[in-house]
Every structure is written in C-alpha cells, then in structure tokens.
C-alpha cells in the first residue's frame, strides 16, 4: 500500500479541483479515475457560467464566449435573454478536463488513470483501496451520480435523476453563434429542456428528460432540422448519462469520508447546473481537508456547510415540473408574458435566485433601461 493523505475517487470537476487545492497545500494526494483519458466519454455539455469561467481562468483556446440565451417555445417562437457584462462559455470539454488534470499534477497531485475501484476498507485509522494499492487518511468520493463510495460508507445516495442524450455535429447552419439555444417542449423533453450549443468547433444538440421517460433524441433532432439547416451536418460523437436532480443528499460526509459533485447531488434540481458548485466547493474542500489533517479543524465539512446550496425553491420548482407539466400551448403563451421573461432571466443569469428582492430589482430596472435585453 502506498500512503497518501487524501485519496479522491473520480477525476471530474469536483475531484480535480479538490486534488489541486489539497496538493498545493502539501497534502500527498492521489486521484483514482476509471477512464484511461480524462477527456474521454464525457457526460456533460461543458457550458460554464461566468462565475465558473472566472474561477478557472480557462485558456482562451479551450472556450468560446456566448452572450445570451435564445429561448424557444414549442411552436418555434423565441425571445432573447441576456444580461450586461454576463456571458456563458462553451468549452472544448475533453480539452478542458485534460487541462484541469495537468493543473492538479502541477500542484503535485498523483493522477492515476484506468483505476476502476469499488472496494474500500478501514484499518488502523486509514482507508485502504486494495485495487489501487493505496491507503489514505481521508477519502473523497467524486465518483458520479451512482457513487460506490456512498454505498460502501453508508452515506446517502441520489434517488432522482434526469436522463440526458447529446449529439455533437459539425456543419449545422442557421444558428446564431452568440446564443445558447434552449427549447421548451413538454412532449419531447418532459421535465427539462432541449438545447443546441454553438460550441468550440462543433454544435451540441441534446435533450434531457425526467425518469422514467427516455430521451428521444432522433425525434428532437428531426424537429430541429425544420428550423436549422442540417443538410451538411456531420455527426462527430454521441454521449449521454444520468443527472442527479433531487438536490444535495442528506448525509454526504462522515468522519473520514466526504462526497462532492454529482455523488453528493450538488446539482441544481431545476437547471441541472453542477459545474460551478463542483469547482467552487471542490476547491474549498481541498483546503478544509488539508487544515483538518494538519490538526486545525475538527471536521472539514463544517467549513463547507455555508457553501453547500439547499436548493429549496428550485426543488419545489422541480416538483412542479415533474407533477404539473404544462401543455405545450402554455409555453407558446408564456413567452409573450413579461413576468415569465423576468423569471427566466433570473434563472439563467442571477446567482441570488428567485427569492432575492435585489435580483428582481436589478432585472426590472435592467429591462426598463435596456428593453432590447429580453425581446
């Protein structure tokens, strides 16, 4: 067994952020990733909100700024939503994951690929992972929506999921390259949305649905081909997977173990956005675990509790989307409603959420001052 201070199972956003921070603070850190390449078999569209892009300081060649959202109703009508000074970043997601891995390695973290681990034992105050020949003082589970770390250490597991499917294309024409194209459709995307992202050298076409529904991506693409030109489009790749949508799991840590990212359900139940909290909380977790192992903190999770979102309002909205799914004609009507537009702007652009009076004030005055922002 090789000794480490921190062992992290899973080389996604949360795992690599945690590893980078822990290693930079002198912790002997190892990441155990089941894939042979951090950039292969990606299960995320890789869209960064502005806060995540600022936090990462991603190299320019790995990202492309997108100024706003074009929101479509099922009949093809649309409105543009944007916010002054705010943008999204579409990424070369495989390249970004490899870059994040190099960042962790430059901090002296040990990244081990092709490590499919599932057995863990506690012995002499350490956690042993015999399949990797590793033992550590602390274990972090960043191993996805169905975490084996959670099961082994009797932590809570995700119970509610969206199922997503996406195709990468080259050559779709007729897309505004400065917009995320978001589609509301209760029949094709019950419980969530469809999207087309004008990405870095590719266009990403996808949908996600609430289980037990299954995504019919072919039907969605057929509908999109009526509005956009697919005649010269070439399929580059396909991907899909589960997205937790039940909010943060009840028990996400114990004495020597912590869950982060999808494993902990740290994903918005409404928007399914989880990259920013994975990075932000992952970095802070790396710091807190380091301080704990140095004797400065009784438990690292105590340092994270204020950062972990409760998603209370978004959880209620998730429930309404699951049980009170509106018929498609209501979306066609809603896009003409100014209140609906302002709610949509807050959901897409404002980190404070729907209960923030300041968010409503800023969105209201923004629309009064810049009527072209949402039209």
């Amino acid at each position: 067994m090789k000794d480490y201070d921190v062992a992290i199972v899973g080389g996604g956003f949360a795992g690599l952020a945690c590893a980078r921070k822990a290693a930079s603070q002198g912790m002997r850190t190892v990441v155990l990733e089941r894939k042979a390449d951090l950039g292969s078999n990606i299960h995320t569209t890789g869209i960064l909100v502005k806060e995540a892009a600022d936090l990462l300081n991603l190299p320019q060649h790995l990202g492309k700024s997108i100024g706003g959202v074009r929101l479509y109703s099922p009949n093809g009508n649309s409105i543009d939503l944007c916010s002054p000074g705010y943008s999204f970043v579409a990424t070369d997601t495989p390249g970004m994951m490899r870059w994040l891995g190099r960042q962790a390695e430059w901090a002296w973290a040990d990244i081990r690929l092709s490590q499919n681990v599932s057995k863990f034992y506690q012995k002499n105050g350490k956690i042993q992972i015999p399949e990797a020949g590793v033992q550590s003082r602390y274990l972090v589970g960043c191993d996805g929506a169905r975490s084996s770390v959670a099961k082994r250490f009797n932590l809570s597991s995700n119970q509610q999921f969206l199922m997503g499917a996406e195709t990468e294309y080259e050559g779709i024409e007729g897309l505004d390259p400065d917009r995320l194209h978001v589609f509301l459709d209760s029949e094709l995307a019950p419980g969530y949305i469809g999207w087309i992202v004008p990405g870095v050298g590719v266009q990403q076409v996808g949908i996600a649905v609430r289980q037990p529904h299954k995504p019919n991506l072919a039907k969605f693409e057929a509908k999109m081909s009526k509005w956009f030109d697919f005649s010269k489009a070439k399929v580059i790749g396909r991907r899909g997977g589960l997205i937790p949508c039940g909010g943060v799991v009840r028990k996400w840590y114990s004495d020597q173990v912590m869950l982060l990212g999808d494993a902990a359900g740290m994903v918005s139940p409404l928007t399914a956005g989880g990259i920013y909290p994975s990075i932000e909380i992952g970095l802070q977790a790396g710091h807190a675990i380091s301080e704990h192992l140095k004797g400065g903190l009784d438990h690292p999770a105590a340092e994270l509790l204020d950062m972990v979102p409760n998603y209370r309002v978004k959880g209620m909205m998730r429930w309404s989307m699951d049980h009170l799914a509106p018929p498609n004609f209501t979306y066609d009507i809603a896009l003409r409603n100014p209140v609906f537009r302002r709610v949509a702007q807050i959901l897409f652009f404002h980190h404070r959420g729907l209960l923030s009076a300041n968010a409503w004030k800023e969105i209201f005055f923004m629309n009064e001052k810049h009527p072209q922002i949402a039209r």
Side-chain angles (χ1 to χ4, degrees), residues 60-249:
Q60 188 173 4
H61 71 280
L62 293 177
K64 170 194 169 187
S65 178
I66 296 180
V69 173
R70 184 161 294 163
L71 185 63
Y72 296 79
S73 66
N75 66 6
N77 290 335
S78 66
I79 57 173
D80 277 8
L81 303 170
C82 50
S83 180
Y86 195 99
S87 62
F88 299 92
V89 176
T91 65
D92 169 4
T93 313
M96 176 172 58
M97 299 312 300
R98 297 179 187 115
W99 176 79
L100 288 171
R102 290 194 297 273
Q103 293 286 307
E105 288 181 320
W106 290 338
W108 297 106
D110 185 3
I111 309 292
R112 295 196 190 180
L113 303 176
S114 301
Q115 298 286 307
N116 192 8
V117 298
S118 59
K119 297 177 181 178
F120 310 91
Y121 304 95
Q122 289 178 295
K123 184 177 180 181
N124 299 327
K126 295 186 178 181
I127 295 173
Q128 296 186 344
I129 311 174
E131 294 154 306
V134 162
Q135 63 181 8
S136 70
R137 298 164 64 194
Y138 204 92
L139 178 66
V140 183
C142 302
D143 51 337
R146 296 191 182 278
S147 169
S148 60
V149 173
K151 293 175 184 177
R152 166 60 183 84
F153 292 96
N154 296 316
L155 301 177
S156 301
S157 297
N158 294 295
Q159 301 298 320
Q160 300 178 50
F161 302 94
L162 299 171
M163 180 177 289
E166 184 178 82
T167 303
E168 281 191 343
Y169 283 94
E170 284 182 351
I172 299 177
E173 297 180 353
L175 283 175
D176 185 336
D178 196 40
R179 291 291 182 266
L180 299 179
H181 300 265
V182 176
F183 302 87
L184 302 173
D185 194 315
S186 291
E187 296 174 6
L188 291 177
Y192 196 54
I193 56 171
W195 61 87
I196 302 181
V197 178
V200 181
V202 298
Q203 299 85 44
Q204 296 160 249
V205 181
I207 57 172
V209 301
R210 182 70 160 85
Q211 288 189 320
H213 300 283
K214 294 183 179 180
N216 189 336
L217 186 54
K219 192 172 182 179
F220 177 71
E221 290 174 336
K223 184 173 184 177
M224 295 301 99
S225 68
K226 299 176 183 177
W227 301 341
F228 306 101
D229 186 358
F230 280 68
S231 63
K232 299 178 182 177
K234 177 183 177 183
V235 174
I236 301 301
R238 301 184 187 275
R239 58 192 176 212
L242 295 176
I243 308 166
C245 65
V248 179
V249 299

Side-chain angles (χ1 to χ4, degrees), residues 13 100 179 214 257 265 287 311 371:
F13 291 100
L100 288 171
R179 291 291 182 266
K214 294 183 179 180
V257 183
H287 169 77
Y311 294 129

